[in-house]
Amino acid sequence: MNHLYLKYFIAIATIAVLYAGYRYLPSRRIFMFFSLLIAGSAAFSFWQLFAMQHDNAALRQQRQMQILVEQPVFITWYEGYKKEVQKADYIWSCYNDDFAAFNDRQISLEQYKYRLEKLYQKSKSYNLSLAQQLPPNELSDADYKLCYAMLEKLRSYAAKQENVINLSWKAVNAPAFRQKTHDLQYIKLDDIRLRNAPVNLNIASEVITIRDNLTIF
């Protein structure tokens, strides 16, 4: 209930009770005692309401100050996070481009092996770097957990990429692979890609929740 409406309710209820006491109590002395009791109760209720409003205002101000501190921290961190996503996307794009180039016979098997090995090392190095990252400590516990969840999703996504690249590299280096026709080589590699490819990185829910948390009303 709105505090203003509650004040009106207490005031009207106090007047109504005092009026009823004035009309129906048998003596003035009892009425005076009754009036003091009601007035004291009303005053105490108003004091409690005032204290609640003061506490709520203090909490709102404290939260607003926390939001003002968190906003630039999150914006800076999120810009860095998007760059990490771009790195993961670049690795995956290279993998798909090299796979297409091999399928179209634009590069030889030996060239494809070399590119896969280099890409695997790049992916492995990227994942090691990603594993060391943490959200800023300046964030609230709730926002810190959301940012950490975003990092975990990216780590999982990048780890699946690395796994596909590694499996492809192992496949092309298997002695039996060279004996296959080009079409069968393609089928083998495409099967690895389709079975193990990471799903889309979806962090929309975390970003929306953080945005709402850091909005000052």
Side-chain angles (χ1 to χ4, degrees):
M1 180 183 293
N2 186 285
H3 287 162
L4 182 60
Y5 291 149
L6 192 56
K7 288 178 181 178
Y8 286 150
F9 174 77
I10 294 173
I12 292 171
T14 301
I15 293 171
V17 172
L18 287 174
Y19 176 76
Y22 177 77
R23 289 204 55 176
Y24 299 110
L25 288 175
S27 70
R28 185 175 297 276
R29 180 174 295 177
I30 295 177
F31 172 69
M32 290 297 294
F33 176 77
F34 177 74
S35 298
L36 288 173
L37 182 63
I38 296 301
S41 298
F44 180 72
S45 297
F46 275 114
W47 178 81
Q48 280 192 316
L49 279 175
F50 176 78
M52 286 173 58
Q53 286 179 307
H54 183 269
D55 290 344
N56 289 340
L59 287 173
R60 280 198 303 272
Q61 185 177 17
Q62 183 180 3
R63 179 55 188 154
Q64 288 175 355
M65 291 298 294
Q66 175 66 22
I67 289 173
L68 290 174
V69 170
E70 282 192 54
Q71 282 176 342
V73 172
F74 173 73
I75 290 171
T76 301
W77 178 84
Y78 188 50
E79 288 301 316
Y81 180 86
K82 288 190 289 187
K83 290 179 181 178
E84 295 299 329
V85 173
Q86 289 173 355
K87 292 178 184 178
D89 286 342
Y90 175 75
I91 291 172
W92 193 237
S93 294
C94 288
Y95 171 79
N96 286 304
D97 290 345
D98 290 343
F99 176 71
F102 175 70
N103 180 49
D104 294 338
R105 301 177 188 269
Q106 295 174 5
I107 58 175
S108 67
L109 178 58
E110 293 304 317
Q111 289 174 312
Y112 188 44
K113 286 181 181 180
Y114 175 73
R115 292 189 183 186
L116 279 175
E117 184 176 6
K118 282 188 64 178
L119 194 59
Y120 174 65
Q121 295 302 326
K122 182 188 290 289
S123 178
K124 189 174 181 180
S125 176
Y126 167 70
N127 283 337
L128 288 173
S129 172
L130 198 60
Q132 307 301 317
Q133 297 189 27
L134 290 172
N137 290 323
E138 294 85 351
L139 296 175
S140 66
D141 289 345
D143 293 335
Y144 185 96
K145 289 177 181 178
L146 289 166
C147 289
Y148 191 84
M150 291 167 62
L151 279 172
E152 286 292 279
K153 285 185 176 182
L154 179 56
R155 289 179 185 124
S156 176
Y157 180 86
K160 289 176 181 178
Q161 286 186 169
E162 181 184 326
N163 183 53
V164 173
I165 298 168
N166 186 36
L167 290 173
S168 299
W169 183 79
K170 287 180 177 178
V172 298
N173 280 279
F177 187 84
R178 183 177 290 276
Q179 307 305 318
K180 297 178 183 291
T181 65
H182 186 79
D183 289 342
L184 290 178
Q185 289 175 343
Y186 166 78
I187 291 172
K188 173 67 175 179
L189 292 170
D190 194 42
D191 182 65
I192 291 172
R193 184 170 65 101
L194 293 176
R195 287 177 180 273
N196 300 281
V199 297
N200 291 335
L201 179 64
N202 186 358
I203 56 169
S205 61
E206 287 86 356
V207 172
I208 290 172
T209 303
I210 294 173
R211 182 196 65 190
D212 292 342
N213 290 347
L214 297 182
T215 299
I216 297 177
F217 293 98

